[in-house]
Each structure stands twice: as structure tokens, then as C-alpha cells.
Amino acid sequence: MTTAGPTGRVQRVHNFSAGPATLPLPVLRTMRDELLDYRGSGLSVMEMSHRSSMFADIADRAEQDLRSLLAIPDDYTVLFVQGGASLQFTMTVLNLAGEGGTVAVADSGYWSGKAVNAADRLTPSVRVCSARLDERGHRSLPPVADWDVPADAAYLHVCDNETIDGISLGDATLAAIEQRHPHLPIVADFSSSILSRPVDVSRYALIYAGAQKNIGPAGLTLVIASPEAIARSRSAGDLPGVLSYAAMHDAGSMLNTPPTFAWYAAGLVFRWLHEQGGLGPMHRRNLAQAERVYAAIDAMSGLHNGIAVAHRSIMNVPFRFEDESRTAAFLASATEAGLVGLRGHKSVGGCRASLYNALPDEAVDALLDHLRHA
Ligand SMILES: *Cc1c(COP(=O)(O)O)cnc(C)c1O
């Protein structure tokens, strides 16, 4: 894709990276246009005090746009913090597990495994289920009825979308958890699926998401916390402020300097999502893109995805050639054709196409075209 820039023609590729990931072109253009002089201020957003009224406006507008996109209940807190989703693996435990409380984790893949490991260092944790091959040889999650959830678990941690494995928890699984364990608070890692579809936020005690997949540049992490989560955090003993949801809530995410530029960029992405019609239309486009990619993979001999259909991710589609030796040639010719970021995570190999909100349909057209000629 070619686009005019102030320094001449700019060549853009189709970016399937799992994160940091592609951003909407209009958002990048706005950042470029406002980079040196933000709306007549004579400064870049990067150069502004986070305590200035100008940045306060940027921050507020971003939060309001996020709240309306996700219909976040008024009594939920939204935090814009640093440290990535990885810090949230630890912060959730510090704030929500209680003294020696047991953390239950649904182990749906790589990132859930990281959440278990982080929890284990601080408190007892239990894998209530693990992703495994079903009777048809597809990777899947066991039915919720078979999950071994301790009666005294402080909460259940789930990963809504396993970015590396390409496994989505799925709304049916969430509903089954709620039905069997109606009083169990649910804490969810939404790093790679936040804003990909409408979500009923009130079903969760706490949601977190690193920004660099489906929101904006790296360096920003969103936390959406219920009043109960903030109350638990308040009674969690004397945590350092930057590790305490309650302290961050009291300080309006400005206990220390927040990632101001990433917050601004996220705000532009939220605006862009509103301009796309919000999360309903976005979800339909994401579903349509994912369906096309899965259909192409399923139709091709020698290529497979391997995930049970009910748990296929609409954001990250891993695929492999039965003849592994074809992978390198495929990736090289893809790069040559302007399709980048298709290499699978180093822990699993193969290929992966990430289909985040900002990926245009033309990128999917190009990928399918390339697959047909692979
Ligand atoms: C990327 C990712 C993480 C890790 O995010 P960092 O910001 O690198 O800490 C955690 N969980 C999921 C689901 C992810 O996709």
C-alpha cells in the first residue's frame, strides 16, 4: 500500500504481527499531523506535562470513548497503567487473592501458563483445566463441568484469547462458568481480544489488556476494575502505590507519570472505533475476516490450524504446513510480497496471522492470494 507523506511516497506493508501490531492508518496520520504542534499548543503530546489541562482533556476523552465503546458500568474503574499484561499477572494476585488465598487459573495456553507461574510465587494456585487434544485430535478446552475449581478460590483467572495458541475461551464457556460457579469472581486477560467484540463488562471482577495488540503502541496497559476489586485491593495490606489498584484509582492513574503518548494514541484509536460504528460492526468485520482465513486453511491440503472450531480465535490464526520444510519458503515469499509478521511464536513455530481491528480487508485478500499460491 502506498500513501503520500510529507517526505514523499511512503510504502506500507500488510502487517500480521501479533504485537506490537498494525494501527489504523488514519490514526497514524493524525499522530503525524499533530506530532510537532498539538492543536495549536506549540508542543508535542510527548512534551506535555501529564498534569496540564491539555493532557487532562486528552486523558478524559480517551476514557470516555473507551467507556462508551465497551458500555463499561459507571461504578467500574478504568486505569491506564504501565508494566504490560505481565505485570498484571502479579498485580491481580497481590490485590485480589487475599492473605494466602487460592488463585484458580483456566490453563488455555501459553499466557495462562505465565499467569499460573506468576501466581505460584505469591500464593497457592490451581490449574482448574488445561488445553488438550479432543477426541478428533483438535486442541480444545475440557467442558466446564470437568473443571476442578476449589470451593475457596479467591477468583478464577481466564485468558479470553490465547494469542500464541490461537485459542479463544468463547462466550459459551464463560456462560458455563457463571452457571456452575455463580459467586466466583472472574479476572480476565483480554490483551489480544479487547475491543474486538462487544463484551458484558459487568460479568468480570477485573479485565486487563496490554495495549500493543488491539489498542495502540506498547507501554500502556488498561485495567477495568469492578468496585469489589477496588475494595479488595484496598484491604490487601500495605502494597506499594504503583502496585495497588486502589492507590492507582485514587490517583486517577497519575500516581506517577503515566505513558502519556500511548494514552493519547489509544484515545485516537477509540475515536476511530467509534467512527467505524463501534464494536458491533467491528466484530462483524473481524468475524468475516477470520472466517475467510479459516475457510482457506481448511480447504487447502497440507495446511492445518488444529484448534477445535468452538475455540478458534478470531484475532490470531495459527497455521502450519504438514511438511514443515515449506514454512521458511512461505514466510520468505510472503515478506517479498509485502506480507509481514506471519511467523509463528518461537515457542510453537509454524505461521500465525493476527487479524486485529486495524487490519484492512485488503490485507486478508493479499494473504489468501498468497496462500493459494504457496
Ligand atoms: C502479549 C500478551 C501478554 C504479555 O503482554 P506484555 O505486555 O508483553 O506483558 C499477556 N497476555 C496475552 C493474552 C498477550 O497477548
Side-chain angles (χ1 to χ4, degrees):
M1 189 193 326
T2 308
T3 164
T7 52
R9 309 297 283 174
V10 174
Q11 196 66 38
R12 300 269 302 163
V13 293
H14 295 304
N15 182 3
F16 295 91
S17 169
T22 186
L23 287 168
L25 195 53
V27 167
L28 292 171
R29 287 211 176 99
T30 302
M31 288 196 275
R32 179 190 66 193
D33 295 346
E34 296 180 339
L35 191 67
L36 303 188
D37 174 8
Y38 177 76
R39 303 187 188 179
S41 66
L43 320 162
S44 174
V45 174
M46 279 184 266
E47 302 170 299
M48 254 174 222
S49 166
H50 59 296
R51 312 273 179 205
S52 65
S53 62
M54 193 161 268
F55 188 76
D57 284 346
I58 293 171
D60 284 348
R61 199 171 329 121
E63 179 174 336
Q64 291 319 317
D65 280 337
L66 175 69
R67 283 184 176 275
S68 53
L69 280 170
L70 271 172
I72 298 174
D74 286 343
D75 59 352
Y76 272 56
T77 295
V78 177
L79 301 177
F80 293 77
V81 297
Q82 308 194 27
S86 297
L87 181 57
Q88 293 309 309
F89 295 154
T90 295
M91 260 179 92
T92 46
V93 180
L94 289 174
N95 285 268
L96 307 176
E99 191 66 43
T102 300
V103 173
V105 180
D107 180 7
S108 51
Y110 181 93
W111 290 115
S112 297
K114 295 278 186 190
V116 174
N117 293 343
D120 264 343
R121 297 169 150 255
L122 298 165
T123 202
S125 75
V126 175
R127 280 181 160 89
V128 300
C129 67
S130 287
R132 48 128 177 83
L133 296 184
D134 64 14
E135 61 285 353
R136 302 175 62 190
H138 297 144
R139 250 163 88 76
S140 187
L141 285 176
V144 173
D146 296 345
W147 294 14
D148 199 4
V149 181
D152 63 344
Y155 60 88
L156 173 68
H157 182 283
V158 297
C159 181
D160 183 69
N161 183 68
E162 288 283 359
T163 320
I164 291 171
D165 309 74
I167 294 182
S168 151
L169 192 71
D171 288 336
T173 305
L174 182 70
I177 296 169
E178 288 173 319
Q179 204 182 15
R180 275 191 90 85
H181 308 282
H183 303 297
L184 185 63
I186 301 173
V187 170
D189 178 357
F190 264 85
S191 293
S192 50
S193 53
I194 187 123
L195 301 172
S196 65
R197 65 178 198 279
V199 163
D200 182 354
V201 172
S202 70
R203 298 162 87 170
Y204 298 89
L206 186 134
I207 286 172
Y208 62 86
Q212 71 275 22
K213 278 61 184 265
N214 213 15
I215 298 176
L220 170 71
T221 310
L222 282 185
V223 176
I224 304 171
S226 63
E228 295 75 25
I230 296 295
R232 273 203 200 189
S233 163
R234 221 173 270 298
S235 61
D238 201 14
L239 291 176
V242 291
L243 297 180
S244 160
Y245 294 132
M248 278 292 183
H249 162 86
D250 294 346
S253 302
M254 295 203 192
L255 192 80
N256 64 330
T257 316
T260 50
F261 195 80
W263 190 332
Y264 153 75
L268 295 178
V269 172
F270 301 155
R271 272 281 88 210
W272 175 81
L273 282 168
H274 276 297
E275 285 157 19
Q276 307 308 299
L279 301 190
M282 202 68 244
H283 184 212
R284 284 193 285 282
R285 203 180 85 185
N286 289 333
L287 270 178
Q289 288 187 354
E291 275 164 15
R292 290 177 66 210
V293 175
Y294 284 114
I297 292 169
D298 291 346
M300 282 181 63
S301 62
L303 203 60
H304 62 100
N305 160 254
I307 306 299
V309 171
H311 288 289
R312 281 178 161 183
S313 165
I314 63 164
M315 291 280 98
N316 311 96
V317 182
F319 55 93
R320 359 176 41 98
F321 292 93
E322 259 151 46
D323 173 2
E324 293 272 350
S325 70
R326 291 175 64 193
T327 308
F330 172 78
L331 291 172
S333 61
T335 305
E336 206 148 296
L339 286 75
V340 306
L342 286 166
R343 186 186 299 281
H345 189 264
K346 59 184 181 334
S347 65
V348 291
C351 307
R352 169 178 52 172
S354 294
L355 311 173
Y356 296 125
N357 287 345
L359 190 83
D361 287 339
E362 302 80 72
V364 174
D365 298 341
L367 174 63
L368 298 191
D369 197 49
H370 199 70
L371 275 173
R372 282 188 203 104
H373 294 101

